[in-house]
Amino acid sequence: MELLDEAQRRAPAGELAIVHAQRGLMHLRMGSSTQALRELDIAAPMLQLDGDRVELARVLLNRSVIHIATGRIRQARDDARRSAQLAHAHDHPVLAAKALHNDGYCDLLLGDVPAALSVFARVERLYQDVNPGFLPVLALDRARALLAVGLTDEAGHTLDQAIDGFRRQRLMQDYAEAELARAQCALDAGRHAEARDWARRAETHFRRRGSAAWARRAELMRLRSDLARGAAPRSVARRAWDLAARFAELDMPDDGEMARLVSVRALIAAGHLTAAASTATAPPPTPPPPIPRPTPRPRHPTLHRASPRRTPRPLPRARLRAGRPWMGRRRTGRRRTAYWLRVRGRGRHRCRVREGGRAGSRSMCG
């Protein structure tokens, strides 16, 4: 970033758009969508007025990634299709294929998995012709589509191909995103310990890269795995609520909502129904409602026996009936959020740096 700041001070007026475009790409690769969008929004009109049309196609392609990540699917599709038109007009087949790829991902996020897989098949043929190095990214997105319809085994095999391709190309951001998708695959298949291991690996790789937003997504996956395997629900509830507050700091509302729902489910699993209701309605980053802590029992100095599970007392029927409408609203929202978080992954789409870099510097963002 320091080099880009220096370039902005030295660049002539006609080159400032390139500097903003590259700074936007750097922010995007680090998961900072708000800063990335700000830079690309500056670059796009400058290039539109009097600039390199291929560079404009790159900016639009990268901006479509941000719109996908933030749920603005119509804007994402508009940018992707404009990018494709410019790429075709200026004979740039690689950019055209990437733009089509993002267009197909919009189909996936809209729930049209067959349409998405059809587009991905077209993109695969294009990548084989113009740049096979993009095939692992396509495999990652195809795996997300398969996960969205519950085909966990097929998704797992596809992810193994993607992970191997990313490792060979040393694309560690995409490698870590594939590990995170592998965690989702294992979680869906009921292999909770395996899911936790994949999420922990992904989190480590994201932190090494300085990708704070992605590291928090991996941490959320780890908490979901812990909850699924019944590990310390009170602790999961507290950590999930803290994570929801950190997502709010990064302006990541969808991830924050999922973290809040994990906290609510963990509180319910721990039998703290009042705290669960308060957590479901309290806006982050408000401190979580206090959880009553039982008085610890004396333990044998060497033996640690598990306490027998207690069956929670049933609630009165009147309270159950009163809570049904609220639960219905929360379930509807949770289904929408869960599907969105499962398929969007945000790791997918083919951002570009300037031509001429080494293979490792080519960025296939998400």
Side-chain angles (χ1 to χ4, degrees), residues 161-195:
Q161 298 172 14
I163 289 172
D164 185 58
F166 293 141
R167 184 189 298 113
R168 289 198 305 270
Q169 296 185 56
R170 297 183 181 180
L171 295 171
M172 298 313 297
Q173 174 72 24
D174 299 287
Y175 181 86
E177 290 178 28
E179 289 181 317
L180 187 55
R182 204 68 174 84
Q184 178 69 67
C185 188
L187 184 63
D188 288 351
R191 299 189 297 271
H192 305 140
E194 180 185 339

Side-chain angles (χ1 to χ4, degrees), residues 268-282:
I268 292 172
H272 301 303
L273 303 182
T274 302
S278 300
T279 301
T281 55

Side-chain angles (χ1 to χ4, degrees), residues 220-303:
L220 175 58
M221 178 63 69
R222 186 158 51 83
L223 289 176
R224 292 173 62 195
S225 303
D226 286 342
L227 177 61
R229 65 193 183 95
R234 288 158 49 85
S235 174
V236 170
R238 175 182 49 79
R239 289 182 289 150
W241 180 265
D242 292 343
L243 185 58
R246 296 200 298 274
F247 278 131
E249 293 171 0
L250 290 179
D251 192 22
M252 299 166 66
D254 294 317
D255 299 272
E257 178 67 8
M258 177 59 80
R260 182 212 294 265
L261 290 173
V262 170
S263 181
V264 171
R265 290 179 57 201
L267 287 169
I268 292 172
H272 301 303
L273 303 182
T274 302
S278 300
T279 301
T281 55
T286 303
I291 301 173
R293 296 181 177 275
T295 303
R297 295 181 179 182
R299 292 177 176 268
H300 190 281
T302 57
L303 299 180

